[in-house]
């Protein structure tokens, strides 16, 4: 895993190295985590059209398996699992965006003390968007998660952006949430969540009051 990350990270900004590498479009990253809509949004978030290949061990199926194992352990929450580390062409050794998912506790749905930089939206169990980070929670009932019919698994997702602007930008924070929704929907489908975990086919960007 570390070796794969090093291969991906090294060469960022190296014109000679870049000329010999195969770069991918956003829809090709992380086992198809990004739909066309999600890919367009990711380009807004990163400002890039092409990306380094995904690090080994990341992707939709790997995170689905990790969450399946976490749920079987009956832990109230789980470690965060990286679904996608995004490195844009011409970038440096640091990720430009990262998407993580984990089992979440019900207490995480309390947004009564929401930071001013976070903007709530009507999607999933809870969705908040920001230019630096966005979050999306959904419930999953699936045969892959024994007992979830009685007690659905609450899954939380986060996207972080390394290059947020200094000021809030609604187009950017909505692009961030749209990117996260795309990956969350792909994960819900991979897990076999009933009704796709309650997530809409496309991101619904309807703000709600705090």
């Amino acid at each position: 895993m570390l070796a794969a990350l090093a291969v991906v990270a090294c060469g960022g900004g190296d014109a000679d190295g870049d000329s010999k590498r195969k770069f991918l479009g956003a829809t090709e990253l992380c086992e198809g985590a990004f739909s066309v809509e999600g890919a367009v949004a990711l380009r807004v978030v990163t400002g890039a059209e092409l990306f380094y290949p995904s690090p080994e061990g990341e992707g939709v199926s790997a995170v689905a398996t990790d969450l399946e194992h976490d749920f079987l352990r009956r832990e109230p929450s789980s470690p965060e699992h990286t679904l996608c580390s995004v490195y844009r062409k011409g970038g440096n050794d640091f990720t430009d965006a990262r998407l993580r998912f984990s089992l979440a506790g019900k207490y995480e749905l309390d947004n009564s003390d929401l930071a001013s930089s976070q903007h709530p939206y009507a999607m999933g169990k809870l969705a908040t968007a920001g230019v630096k980070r966005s979050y999306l929670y959904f419930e999953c009932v699936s045969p892959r998660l024994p007992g979830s019919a009685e007690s659905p698994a609450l899954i939380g997702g986060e996207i972080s952006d390394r290059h947020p602007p200094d000021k809030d930008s609604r187009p950017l924070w909505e692009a961030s949430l749209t990117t996260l929704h795309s990956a969350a929907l792909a994960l819900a489908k991979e897990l076999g969540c009933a009704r796709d975990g309650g997530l809409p086919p496309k991101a619904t960007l309807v703000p709600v009051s705090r």
Side-chain angles (χ1 to χ4, degrees), residues 18-153:
D18 281 359
S19 66
K20 299 176 183 178
R21 295 176 183 273
K22 178 185 177 183
F23 292 96
L24 305 178
T27 57
E28 301 174 277
L29 295 175
C30 304
E31 299 182 329
F34 305 116
S35 63
V36 172
E37 178 189 52
V40 171
L42 181 62
R43 290 198 291 269
V44 173
V45 170
T46 61
E49 296 281 340
L50 294 174
F51 306 88
Y52 287 96
S54 308
E56 184 179 349
E58 294 185 3
V60 177
S61 62
V63 170
T65 299
D66 287 337
L67 293 178
E68 183 180 8
H69 292 163
D70 291 343
F71 191 79
L72 289 173
R73 286 195 287 268
R74 292 294 189 269
E75 297 290 339
S77 59
S78 74
E80 291 182 327
H81 303 289
T82 300
L83 188 146
C84 196
S85 300
V86 179
Y87 297 84
R88 60 187 175 88
K89 179 182 179 181
N92 54 28
D93 293 356
F94 300 99
T95 55
D96 294 287
R98 192 185 301 274
L99 293 93
R100 301 182 179 95
F101 289 85
S102 65
L103 296 182
K106 298 288 187 183
Y107 66 91
E108 295 181 54
L109 298 179
D110 180 10
N111 68 343
S112 58
D113 193 26
L114 196 62
S116 60
S117 59
Q118 289 291 306
H119 309 274
Y121 282 79
M123 188 160 52
K125 298 298 292 183
L126 176 68
T128 67
V131 295
K132 187 173 183 179
R133 286 185 173 81
S134 294
Y135 302 89
L136 177 60
Y137 294 82
F138 64 95
E139 283 189 336
C140 182
V141 175
S142 168
R144 290 186 64 173
L145 306 175
S148 60
E150 294 75 32
S151 180

